[in-house]
Every structure is written in C-alpha cells, then in structure tokens.
Amino acid sequence: MIDTPLIRFADVSKVYHLESGDFTALDHISLEIEDNEFIAIMGPSGSGKSTMMNQLGILDVPTSGELFISGRDVAKMTALERTHMRRDTIGYIFQNFYLIPLLSAYENVEYPLILKYKKRDESGKASAMLKAVGFDEAMSAHRPTQLSGGQQQRVAIARALVNDPKILLCDEPTGNLDRKTGFQIMDILCGLHSEGKTVIIVTHDPKIAEYANRTITLEDGRIAA
Amino acid sequence: MKDIFFNLSVRSVRLNFMRSLLASIGIVIGVVAISSMGMLGTNMQLQVKDQLSSGADTIVISADAVRMGPTGSSSSSSSSATGITKTQLNKIKLAVGTTNKLVPIYSTNTQFTLASTPGRSTVYGLNPDDITKFLTISNGTNIEGINDALVGSTFATNFNLKIGNRIRIGKDTDASRPVLRIVGILAPRGMSSDNVNTDNAIIVSDDWYTNQYGGKDIYRQVNVIVKDISTIPDVESVIDAKLNTNPKTPVVRISDASSRLSGITSSLSSITTFILAIGGISLLVAATSIFNVMMMSVNERIQEIGILLSIGTEKGEVRRMFLYEAVILGILGAGIGGISSLVIGYSVVSYMIGTTKYFFLPESIMYIPMGMTIGLVVCIISGLYPAWKASNMDPIDALRSE
Ligand SMILES: Nc1ncnc2c1ncn2[C@@H]1O[C@H](COP(=O)(O)OP(=O)(O)OP(=O)(O)O)[C@@H](O)[C@H]1O
Ligand SMILES: [Mg+2]
C-alpha cells in the first residue's frame, strides 16, 4: 500500500458551466491521502471544500484530471460501480444530518445493511453501532424529526459506519451543533480514526481542525497550504 | 414485507393518505365503469341467448320481403300472395326429408270479444297434428272439433280463462262472428326464436283458419324442426337450392336461432363496447390524477431521494420504491373498485335486466378481476415516468433542494 495511496487527486479540476460563463470550483488539484489519515479541509466559503468532498464521495466526477480511490479511476467506473463504492467504501456525515425522514433511527442505521445484503439485518450490527456512538437505545424507534441535532448526528455516524467503510467524509459535521455536542461528535470521530478509519473533515472551526493530523486549506479552488 | 422500499412506499402513502385516496378514486370509477358495464352487457347477452334457445332446433321459412314489392308481383309465377305456397311447401317437404318435422303455419291478427270485453291478439292456424310437435298443452286437450281452440298461458291468465270458455272472433260490426270453444291452455313459451309466440295468442285448426280468413295453402311461415341441430346449415342450403333458384331474386327467406342470435348479440356487443369505452376514458382521467400524485410525491421527496442516492442506493431501487407507491395506489383503487363493482354491478344488472341469475357466471363475474387488473396496470403505467424521474436525479442537486 506504500506505492498506491488510498486517495490520489491528479491535476483535478471541476468546472461548472454557467450562463454567465465557466466557473472553476476546483483548479488543478493534486493531492495524496494515505490510509488512516485524519485530514481537516479548511478555507473560506465558496473556496471549493464541498465540491472537493463531492469528488471524494464520487457523487460527481472531475471535469479534467484523474481521481483514484482505492486505486481505481472513478471516471472509468460505471454508474452502478460508483453506487456500490459509495455504499461499501465510503461513509458520509453531513452538516444537515440527512437522515431518511420516513425511517426510524434504528431503520436509518439498518438501511445501508439492507442495501448491501438485500435483506433485513439479523446480525444486530445496527443496534451495536447505535450503542457504539452513544445513542440512547430507548430512542431507536423515533423518527429523525423527534430527535435533537446531536442525536441525529450520532444516528448519521452510526449509519455511515455500519457497512464498515474505509473512508469517512464529514462535511461540517458539527456545523449545526452547539460547541459541547460538537466536541462529543469529534471525540467519536477521533475514536474511529484510532480504530483505523481514514477521516476527512471539512470545518470552519480551527479548534475542530486541531483534532486532525493534517490540514489542507483551499482558496479559490486551489490548495493554499 | 421484508423489502424496506416497500415499507418506505407504504409510509409515504400513509403520510399523504387523503391525497392518495382521492387519486385512487379515479381508478375506482374506472374499474366500476368497466366491470359493471361489461357485466351488464354479458348478462343481457346471456339472457337473450337463453330466451331464444327454445327454438334452437327450428328453421323458419317465410316469403322473402323483396317479393312483396310492386316489381315482385310481375315475376311471380304461382301466386302474388305474400306467403309460402303449396308448390313451395312441397319442394320444402322434398328438401327436408322424412327425419325432420315440417310445420306449416297460418297467422294473422284478430279482434275478439271475451264475455263482453273486447281484445286483439295473434291467431295461429295449425294442423292439430302439428301442434304437439312443438307446443305443450299444460291444461286440457288438443283441438278435435272444428270450433275448438287453444290459448297461450299469458292470454289465459289475463282473461282468467278456463277450459270450456268461449271466445267470439271478429269486430262488433262484423256480420258473422264465429264462436270458439277453449279446449286447452298452452304452457308458457317466452320469446321463441321460431317466430311462434303463443303466450298471448289463440291457436285454431288450419281448417277453421282458412274458412274464416281465406288464403288456403298460402302459409305465413313454414317451420322445419330438425332432429339434429348440427344438420341445420345443410338442411338450409338444400332448401335454398330448391326454392331460391335465382340467387338474385330469392323467393323465400330462411332463418334460424343462431342467425337471429348473432344479429342481436352483435348489436348488444356494440353497445357494450361503447360503454366500455366510457370506462376507458374514466381510466384515462384516473391515469392523469395518479400521475399527478406521483409527481407530487417525487417533487416533495427530492431531498430524500438525494439522501438515498448519495449513500449508495441503486437507481433501480429508487425506481422500485416509487413503483411500489403506484402499485399501492392501484391496489387501493382496484380493491375499492372491485368491491364497489360487485355491489353496483349487481344492482345495475338486477335493475336493468330484471334477473341476477347470470351475474355470478364466470363469463359475467370475470369482468371484476378484469376491471381491477386494468385499473392496476393503468396505475403502474402512470407511475413509470415519475419513478424514472426520481431515479435519474443528480444526488448533489437533490440533496441541496429544500
Ligand atoms: N452545481 C453548481 N453549479 C454552479 N456552481 C456551483 C455548483 N456547486 C458549487 N458551485 C460553486 O462552486 C464554488 C464552490 O462551492 P462549494 O460548495 O464547494 O464551496 P464551500 O467551500 O463548500 O463553501 P461553504 O463553506 O460555504 O460550504 C462556489 O462558488 C459555488 O457557487
Ligand atoms: Mg460547503
């Protein structure tokens, strides 16, 4: 694994074609991320942090350049292969939690297991994961709207982890939480990093960025530091 | 149900239950229209078929209408009268052979007086020996004397007649008004396909008839009662060949139950088709409302679709989720529609036809599952585009929408 990094941006650009002209959100980014790194991405608003996360999460593909994840060129993968990589290799944690509103807390965590194994979970993984992130078991049957922000983010983390992904992508995971809850969530992420996950987190908060081993700062779509 | 996408669809329908129910009402109406109208048509056909089958073994031969026109009389060789002549009867006799029965029939309309009540009915003149070949005397005896007569069942009931009662034939003003003595009452016959409808008629002997009305040996019609129904087409073609020597100017018209029936059923089935088309239109309207509700559901759940897609849900799975929703709406509509069809169809059939004895026969009741299936299929088709649209969304755009 020394010669092939987990993630490699090779001269990646992302250009949005707008009526007012082309807008370059990512400008020739080259970057390598090794297995089990803890990375914070910082930068002013509009600098391209979320755009970069979308590339990492293969929700989108670069306009030019190449992006390798686990040694595979994402542009050369089929739509179904990308879907399966999102399901199996990557865990997402969003600022707005993005739980599935029609499912209970437990079902939200069970959902990725159902996607992967095409059947309801009988292994108890979902409950175990909820417990691991410190989610109150009595709340398992609650719908997302009945939970606090911190509780929702715990459920979201459990959901992201349940298929045991290599990479955790967190776009401002504490952005909608108070400081205390935010640090609790960061402690969970730290724990996951020490268990071997590669964690990439976008944040505006330098205190949060202190948790990371490496900080990447973006400015106008370029890496500034 | 193990499928989480089915659970999601059920919950979505439940969340918007009123809206879903209203959309399904279109399907309900369509299913009811299709199935109850289909059943109505079938019940009508079955009833007519049943009523006409009493004369299924009979070929009816009558003078061709064309010959009654002014041009017809000049080409007439034997007689200008409107009926089957003696020579034609002999030819028919030769054509049908001895295994099949031949019944020459006189008939006309007459006025009569019963006690002091005047009336009007059909009179049939028949050879008394022929009467028992195709009519049933339920009460009394066959005609023996010259002044003996039989009456139909409805006739007897209406005038409260008994054996031995007398009927005076003719108008008040007629010089001679002969009297007939009722010796027997016929069993009910219904609408018969052999063109002899006796329920409301008087039956007299052929001798009395020709005495009273003249026209001896010129019959209104000749019925051939075949021994084996399957020989009807053959017998008909022999008769046709013998009598209608010039196909351009046929002298006699030959018909039977199946040819009459096909005429009636074809006009009935065109009515049925028309009503079914109305049902089809209501389903089209239903399709639009289902489509609308599905599009609303997709548009309201854009962010949810974004979440599903971004965490690794396959497009096909998203499609399936929305198709389930269409199926649920369809099952809801088709289910309510099926039950309503049973109730409404039963009422319509019993009101319009007067009997429900054919209602539960397979060829009638099958319209309910058929209507339900069509309703369900319409729902699924209406859900195809919304489902496709949902599954092809860009996850990033979808996530961003509020
Ligand atoms: N779909 C799109 N179409 C056009 N322009 C886009 C699109 N998505 C992002 N952009 C533009 O790209 C630039 C980078 O956006 P991005 O969301 O990556 O910023 P960000 O660094 O995450 O900002 P923030 O800190 O506010 O979340 C912005 O100027 C934005 O307007
Ligand atoms: Mg952002």
Side-chain angles (χ1 to χ4, degrees):
Chain A
M1 294 303 274
I2 299 151
D3 38 349
T4 43
L6 181 62
I7 297 163
R8 188 158 75 90
F9 282 76
D11 207 22
V12 167
S13 291
K14 178 70 200 180
V15 180
Y16 291 110
H17 303 283
L18 304 171
E19 276 169 34
S20 53
D22 287 357
F23 181 86
T24 308
L26 289 181
D27 197 358
H28 299 281
I29 300 275
S30 288
L31 172 72
E32 287 184 5
I33 297 171
E34 302 295 338
D35 205 4
N36 199 214
E37 277 200 85
F38 193 146
I39 292 181
I41 300 176
M42 297 193 71
S45 188
S47 57
K49 304 182 293 293
S50 295
T51 305
M52 190 162 166
M53 289 298 258
N54 291 340
Q55 311 298 313
L56 282 166
I58 45 173
L59 292 167
D60 201 358
V61 286
T63 314
S64 67
E66 287 163 325
L67 170 60
F68 297 89
I69 295 175
S70 284
R72 299 200 58 186
D73 184 347
V74 296
K76 295 202 174 108
M77 290 162 75
T78 66
L80 193 64
E81 283 172 334
R82 282 183 212 144
T83 300
H84 288 164
M85 187 174 252
R86 284 205 292 275
R87 183 190 70 192
D88 303 337
T89 313
I90 301 165
Y92 297 83
I93 297 157
F94 304 91
Q95 179 177 0
N96 296 323
F97 323 127
Y98 286 149
L99 297 176
I100 303 163
L102 289 172
L103 297 181
S104 70
Y106 173 81
E107 287 167 328
N108 262 283
V109 180
E110 188 193 14
Y111 182 85
L113 290 171
I114 297 173
L115 288 185
K116 189 168 182 178
Y117 301 105
K118 310 293 178 202
K119 63 180 180 63
R120 296 305 289 248
D121 175 53
E122 283 149 13
S123 64
K125 241 188 217 166
S127 314
M129 206 49 82
L130 275 170
K131 200 178 251 171
V133 298
F135 184 80
D136 182 1
E137 226 184 317
M139 308 286 277
S140 297
H142 286 56
R143 291 278 171 89
T145 48
Q146 299 163 329
L147 300 174
S148 73
Q151 287 168 330
Q152 287 188 59
Q153 200 58 299
R154 282 173 202 268
V155 174
I157 293 171
R159 180 182 69 184
L161 291 173
V162 78
N163 272 337
D164 196 22
K166 268 198 155 87
I167 306 163
L168 270 182
L169 301 176
C170 321
D171 196 344
E172 301 188 48
T174 60
N176 277 347
L177 304 172
D178 59 57
R179 276 193 94 69
K180 187 171 161 258
T181 319
F183 288 127
Q184 285 172 358
I185 295 296
M186 285 315 294
D187 288 338
I188 296 173
L189 293 178
C190 265
L192 291 167
H193 170 243
S194 56
E195 284 167 26
K197 305 279 183 215
T198 306
V199 180
I200 302 169
I201 176 169
V202 169
T203 184
H204 286 284
D205 186 342
K207 275 256 184 300
I208 297 286
E210 279 172 20
Y211 283 84
N213 308 139
R214 174 151 71 121
T215 300
I216 296 166
T217 308
L218 286 181
E219 243 162 69
D220 295 329
R222 289 197 204 100
I223 296 176
Chain B
M1 192 71 177
K2 288 234 171 75
D3 194 336
I4 193 143
F5 300 105
F6 184 76
N7 282 341
L8 280 167
S9 317
V10 171
R11 288 175 199 184
S12 163
V13 169
R14 227 191 267 154
L15 201 65
N16 302 296
F17 189 71
M18 247 359 250
R19 184 176 81 188
S20 309
L21 197 68
L22 285 174
S24 301
I25 282 176
I27 295 291
V28 172
I29 295 171
V31 170
V32 169
I34 286 190
S35 50
S36 55
M37 292 312 148
M39 289 189 293
L40 182 65
T42 312
N43 277 266
M44 248 188 238
Q45 287 184 10
L46 287 172
Q47 196 196 23
V48 169
K49 206 183 244 171
D50 239 19
Q51 282 174 342
L52 290 184
S53 64
S54 58
D57 58 351
T58 304
I59 302 168
V60 176
I61 305 155
S62 53
D64 198 290
V66 178
R67 300 252 309 143
M68 294 176 190
T71 46
S73 54
S74 61
S75 63
S76 164
S77 50
S78 52
S79 167
S80 63
T82 61
I84 303 289
T85 63
K86 179 120 195 163
T87 17
Q88 287 170 338
L89 180 64
N90 284 330
K91 283 185 191 169
I92 296 169
K93 219 175 258 175
L94 280 173
V96 302
T98 47
T99 46
N100 302 321
K101 297 174 203 164
L102 202 66
V103 182
I105 299 164
Y106 297 107
S107 79
T108 186
N109 275 308
T110 189
Q111 290 195 3
F112 60 85
T113 314
L114 247 167
S116 53
T117 320
R120 178 171 262 284
S121 83
T122 308
V123 181
Y124 288 103
L126 285 163
N127 183 330
D129 294 337
D130 287 344
I131 289 174
T132 47
K133 284 180 187 167
F134 72 111
L135 298 176
T136 317
I137 299 162
S138 64
N139 216 336
T141 60
N142 198 355
I143 294 170
E144 279 164 17
I146 182 78
N147 290 325
D148 289 354
L150 302 171
V151 290
S153 56
T154 319
F155 192 98
T157 322
N158 285 352
F159 290 94
N160 197 18
L161 291 180
K162 287 180 193 68
I163 309 295
N165 285 162
R166 278 152 214 279
I167 311 175
R168 190 177 283 279
I169 300 294
K171 288 186 279 216
D172 284 350
T173 50
D174 287 353
S176 107
R177 301 183 66 208
V179 170
L180 287 169
R181 199 179 81 92
I182 296 164
V183 295
I185 294 163
L186 295 171
R189 202 148 189 264
M191 194 173 99
S192 178
S193 71
D194 63 7
N195 236 4
V196 181
N197 300 309
T198 57
D199 287 357
N200 247 316
I202 304 168
I203 290 91
V204 296
S205 70
D206 46 354
D207 291 341
W208 189 93
Y209 186 98
T210 48
N211 243 333
Q212 174 73 8
Y213 303 108
K216 188 165 166 59
D217 292 334
I218 297 166
Y219 301 97
R220 172 58 59 90
Q221 69 185 71
V222 174
N223 284 8
V224 178
I225 304 164
V226 297
K227 201 169 174 193
D228 176 2
I229 293 186
S230 66
T231 62
I232 284 182
D234 298 336
V235 176
E236 281 178 355
S237 63
V238 177
I239 298 171
D240 193 47
K242 277 242 155 50
L243 284 104
N244 295 332
T245 41
N246 183 351
K248 277 189 188 142
T249 56
V251 251
V252 296
R253 192 171 34 184
I254 303 160
S255 69
D256 58 61
S258 69
S259 65
R260 282 145 186 278
L261 196 63
S262 70
I264 293 171
T265 44
S266 82
S267 67
L268 271 181
S269 71
S270 62
I271 294 171
T272 310
T273 313
F274 174 72
I275 303 173
L276 283 178
I278 293 176
I281 290 169
S282 65
L283 274 180
L284 206 68
V285 175
T288 8
S289 75
I290 293 287
F291 180 81
N292 245 314
V293 162
M294 291 296 302
M295 283 311 273
M296 276 162 83
S297 180
V298 169
N299 287 332
E300 278 170 11
R301 294 166 72 188
I302 292 178
Q303 195 177 65
E304 186 184 335
I305 296 163
I307 299 171
L308 298 182
L309 289 170
S310 67
I311 61 174
T313 311
E314 291 168 22
K315 283 182 178 194
E317 289 166 329
V318 172
R319 233 178 354 249
R320 198 163 86 217
M321 182 173 82
F322 282 94
L323 282 178
Y324 278 144
E325 195 165 327
V327 169
I328 292 168
L329 294 180
I331 288 174
L332 202 70
I336 300 174
I339 295 164
S340 313
S341 301
L342 202 63
V343 176
I344 295 173
Y346 192 86
S347 318
V348 167
V349 164
S350 97
Y351 176 74
M352 301 277 284
I353 301 185
T355 173
T356 51
K357 72 173 167 179
Y358 311 104
F359 186 79
F360 291 104
L361 291 181
E363 55 263 60
S364 155
I365 205 80
M366 71 159 199
Y367 277 92
I368 292 181
M370 203 179 89
M372 288 170 73
T373 311
I374 293 174
L376 190 60
V377 168
V378 164
C379 261
I380 294 170
I381 291 173
S382 314
L384 283 178
Y385 174 73
W388 177 86
K389 194 188 162 193
S391 68
N392 278 291
M393 281 182 184
D394 176 52
I396 301 171
D397 290 343
L399 272 179
R400 237 194 241 132
S401 86
E402 280 303 323

